[in-house]
Amino acid sequence: MSFDLVLFGGTGDLAWRKLMPALFQAFRHGSLPEHGRIIGVARDDLGDAAYRELIRSRFNEVDLAKRPTPAEFDRFAALLHFVRMDLSRPQDFQRLAATLRERHADTVVMYLATAPSLFTTAVQQLAAAGLNRPNTRIVLEKPLGHDLASNRAINETVRSALSEKQIFRIDHYLGKPAVQNLFALRFGNALFEPLWRRENIANIQITIAEDLGVAKRGAFYDNTGALRDMVQNHALQLLCAIGMEPPINAHADAIRDEKLKVLRSLKPWTTQALDGDVIRGQYTAGTVAGESVHGYRDEPGVNPQSSTETFVALRTEIANWRWAGVPFYIRTGKRLAGRDARIVVNFRPAPHAIFHSPSGSVNRLVINLQPRDGLELHLLAQAQDNRQRTRAPVQSLTPVHLDLDFEKRFGSERVGAYERLLLDVIDGRLNLFVRSDEQEEAWRWVEPVMEHWRNQGAGPRPYAAGSWGPSAASAMIARDGHCWSEEC
Ligand code: NAP
C-alpha cells in the first residue's frame, strides 16, 4: 500500500517533538508501509534536502532511545519531502496538488499540526483544490474549538468537505498503551467486568499532573486554561474508557456510541455543584524538583493579571444503573508535585473483617499512564512474619501489589501513542479517534463550568508550584470520606 502523509505545520513543535519521532519509530519497527512519503508543509523556504537536514538536527533533541543512527536516518530521510505553502493562500494549494499527482498514492493523509485558527481555511482550500478525494483522510489536533459553538463550526466545515469516516480527531491519551490495556482488561477478560459497578467500586480518580509550567506556550495557554486543555478532552475520554458499557463489537462506531452514552449520562451541573464540586487553581512561585520556579503570572506571554486556571479538580457522577452514586474525581494541573498521570479505581472494603488490615487499605486497580505505562493491582496478603503469626490474636494483612510494567514486559517493541495513532490513520482504523458528537457533548458538559467562572468574582485559588494544588481539592474529596491516592 502506498501513502502520502502531508504534515501541515511540518516544521512546528508538535511535528518534530512528537510526530517525526513516532513516524521514525514506526519505520524502525517495520510497521510503516513501505511505499510512503512524508511531506512537510510550512511557509519556510526549504527544499527536500534542507527539510531533511532540519529534521536530522531536531532528532538530537529527542530521547536517546528514539533517536536514529546516522544510517537509519539516511534511510528514513528518503521518505521526507517538503512543500512550501501558506495555508491562507488558495493558489499555494495547487503546488500541493501537483506534488500529490506525481504518484497518486493509495491513501493521502492530511495532518493539520498547525494553529487551530487555520483549520477551517485549510479544509476549505483542500476542497476547492479537489484534494478531498475518497482516499483522503484528515487528522485534526486539539484544541478543536474554544467552546461548543466554535467546535461545531469547525466540525461543520470539515464535514462539508469530507465524510465522518475520513475525519480523525486525535486525542493521544487514547493511543497510550495503558488505555489500550484498560480496554483489553475490561472487554477481553471476564475477571473484572462483574466487579465493575457501583456495588463494588467506591470511587474513581483520574489524575493528569504535570510538573512543567507553560514553557514557551504561555500566550496559547493563557487563552485556554486547564479545563479546555485537559478536562474537556483527555480527562473525559479517560472517564469514558472507565465508565462505558461493553460495546457490541470492536468497531469504531460501537465503541464511540458507548462513550457518547457516558458523556450524555454525566450528572448535570447545579449551582451547588458548581460551587462545591469544582476547584480551580493557579500556581504561584515555588520549588519543583529542588529548583525555584516562577509563578504563572510571571511566565512569558501570560497576562500579569491573568485569571486563567492552571489546575482543576472536580467531582462528577455517571447517572446510570451501573454507576449511580459513585464519585468520579478528575484532577489536572501544571507545576504540580510530579509528572504523574494515572487512573485509580478504589474498590469497596471487604464487607466483614476477620483480619486486621492497615487503615485505609482497600483493593485498588491503578492504571499508570505517565511517566511509565502499566497496571497495578493492590491486594491484601498475609504478612510473612512468623513472630506476628504466632503471637497476634488476630492475623494481620499487609498491602502487596501485582505490577504489570509494560516497559519491562514489552521493552522497545512497545508502540507509543502517536506511533499507534499515526499507523491507525494510515490503515483507516477509527477506533481510537473521537467522533464529532462525543466532542460536542463534552463541550456541552464543560460549558456551565466556564460560564460559572466567568460570572464568579473570585478567581482561581493560588497554590505553590511543586504542591498538589489548592488544599480545597483535598477538602472536596474529604467531604465524601475519600482522599486522593497519594494522601491515603
Ligand atoms: P508551532 O510550533 O507554532 O508550529 C506551527 C507550524 O505551522 C509551523 O510549522 C509553522 O511554520 C506552520 N504554519 C504557521 N502558519 C502557517 C501558514 N499560514 N501556512 C502554512 N504553515 C503555517 O505549533 P505547534 O506547537 O506545533 O502546534 C501545532 C498544533 O498542534 C496546534 O493546533 C496545537 O494546539 C496542537 N498541539 C500541539 C502540541 C505540542 O506539544 N506542541 C500538543 C498538542 C496539540 P511556518 O511559520 O514556517 O509557516
Side-chain angles (χ1 to χ4, degrees):
M1 187 198 75
S2 61
F3 74 91
D4 277 341
L5 168 58
V6 183
L7 214 50
F8 294 100
T11 57
D13 182 73
L14 183 70
W16 71 260
R17 252 179 355 99
K18 302 277 187 196
L19 305 180
M20 281 297 173
L23 288 163
F24 171 67
Q25 286 307 309
F27 176 79
R28 183 183 253 174
H29 292 151
S31 34
L32 200 62
E34 268 180 23
H35 306 287
R37 290 192 298 183
I38 299 166
I39 304 168
V41 167
R43 292 168 300 181
D44 266 3
D45 192 6
L46 303 173
D48 290 353
Y51 186 56
R52 288 169 189 166
E53 268 322 297
L54 175 80
I55 298 301
R56 183 198 296 274
S57 66
R58 290 299 201 185
F59 264 112
N60 292 332
E61 293 168 56
V62 164
D63 279 356
L64 205 53
K66 295 188 177 164
R67 223 179 274 173
T69 63
E72 277 178 325
F73 187 80
D74 287 344
R75 285 189 288 118
F76 178 64
L79 274 61
L80 302 180
H81 301 265
F82 187 79
V83 174
R84 182 189 183 189
M85 243 180 98
D86 183 337
L87 293 179
S88 58
R89 285 165 45 101
Q91 60 274 34
D92 286 9
F93 283 76
Q94 289 310 327
R95 219 175 300 146
L96 176 63
T99 303
L100 296 176
R101 268 197 307 271
E102 281 167 9
R103 51 181 230 139
H104 297 288
D106 297 329
T107 298
V108 178
V109 175
M110 309 280 188
Y111 197 123
L112 288 180
T114 52
S117 55
L118 290 168
F119 285 5
T120 307
T121 319
V123 173
Q124 284 165 339
Q125 293 309 326
L126 285 171
L131 295 177
N132 54 339
R133 302 216 173 86
N135 67 340
T136 305
R137 293 175 191 146
I138 195 154
V139 185
L140 301 172
E141 262 294 342
K142 72 158 200 184
L144 219 56
H146 202 64
D147 53 18
L148 178 60
S150 53
N151 175 260
R152 272 197 182 142
I154 296 174
N155 277 332
E156 273 164 28
T157 307
V158 182
R159 274 198 309 253
S160 68
L162 296 151
S163 68
E164 185 68 37
K165 68 176 192 319
Q166 296 174 279
I167 307 170
F168 291 69
R169 295 176 195 81
I170 213 158
D171 187 316
H172 72 275
Y173 273 71
L174 291 181
K176 286 184 179 285
V179 177
Q180 312 292 303
N181 272 295
L182 172 61
F183 285 118
L185 183 84
R186 287 200 57 200
F187 307 129
N189 294 282
L191 187 65
F192 280 101
E193 204 43 33
L195 301 175
W196 212 254
R197 54 190 62 253
R198 61 192 301 280
E199 290 80 359
N200 309 305
I201 293 181
N203 69 87
I204 291 175
Q205 303 179 9
I206 298 170
T207 296
I208 310 176
E210 295 174 89
D211 52 359
L212 293 178
V214 289
K216 293 180 191 154
R217 305 181 81 214
F220 159 80
Y221 195 86
D222 209 29
N223 271 319
T224 308
L227 187 74
R228 289 186 174 92
D229 194 40
M230 301 301 286
V231 177
Q232 183 275 339
N233 37 51
H234 305 314
L236 285 183
Q237 283 294 324
L238 295 179
L239 183 144
C240 287
I242 286 278
M244 67 195 267
E245 295 298 316
I248 54 167
N249 57 39
H251 293 156
D253 277 333
I255 294 170
R256 300 186 309 176
D257 286 347
E258 295 305 335
K259 287 196 285 158
L260 179 63
K261 279 193 218 159
V262 172
L263 293 166
R264 287 191 174 146
S265 315
L266 288 175
K267 219 172 165 182
W269 292 108
T270 58
T271 312
Q272 195 188 3
L274 286 167
D275 280 333
D277 292 351
V278 191
I279 308 297
R280 61 172 162 158
Q282 187 186 73
Y283 64 84
T284 56
T287 307
V288 175
E291 279 190 27
S292 302
V293 297
H294 292 305
Y296 176 68
R297 292 180 182 182
D298 295 323
E299 298 278 19
V302 171
N303 175 352
Q305 266 93 46
S306 174
S307 59
T308 299
E309 78 288 354
T310 60
F311 174 94
V312 179
L314 61 83
R315 176 198 193 282
T316 186
E317 288 177 26
I318 299 174
N320 65 15
W321 275 47
R322 184 188 285 266
W323 293 117
V326 177
F328 283 72
Y329 304 105
I330 290 175
R331 176 177 57 159
T332 182
K334 291 206 175 281
R335 284 285 188 230
L336 294 180
R339 178 168 173 255
D340 181 1
R342 69 190 123 98
I343 306 171
V344 178
V345 179
N346 285 311
F347 288 86
R348 293 189 190 281
H352 171 64
I354 59 167
F355 300 111
H356 274 315
S357 48
S359 86
S361 50
V362 288
N363 294 142
R364 173 178 288 174
L365 178 71
V366 182
I367 298 130
N368 287 311
L369 308 165
Q370 223 161 255
R372 58 190 197 97
D373 293 304
L375 297 174
E376 288 167 27
L377 183 60
H378 295 227
L379 302 167
L380 292 165
Q382 177 67 63
Q384 296 300 304
D385 178 337
N386 263 337
R387 276 168 311 162
Q388 193 195 51
R389 189 169 61 79
T390 49
R391 287 191 202 143
V394 178
Q395 291 183 351
S396 285
L397 300 187
T398 190
V400 292
H401 63 263
L402 305 176
D403 188 354
L404 176 58
D405 181 331
F406 297 143
E407 207 162 317
K408 274 195 210 137
R409 172 67 183 80
F410 300 109
S412 62
E413 293 306 309
R414 225 164 34 109
V415 178
Y418 270 107
E419 179 183 352
R420 165 80 200 244
L421 295 172
L422 281 160
L423 289 171
D424 280 358
V425 179
I426 294 170
D427 292 343
R429 268 192 305 273
L430 275 157
N431 298 26
L432 298 176
F433 294 84
V434 183
R435 211 168 50 193
S436 62
D437 49 6
E438 286 178 77
Q439 254 182 358
E440 289 180 15
E441 201 54 50
W443 277 116
R444 197 169 288 119
W445 189 73
V446 298
E447 278 209 331
V449 180
M450 301 194 300
E451 162 114 37
H452 183 69
W453 287 349
R454 266 196 302 274
N455 300 331
Q456 214 185 26
R461 295 164 195 262
Y463 63 95
S467 69
W468 277 106
S471 55
S474 302
M476 175 188 77
I477 190 168
R479 256 191 359 240
D480 292 336
H482 303 308
C483 47
W484 296 108
S485 56
E486 79 281 353
E487 292 172 345
C488 296

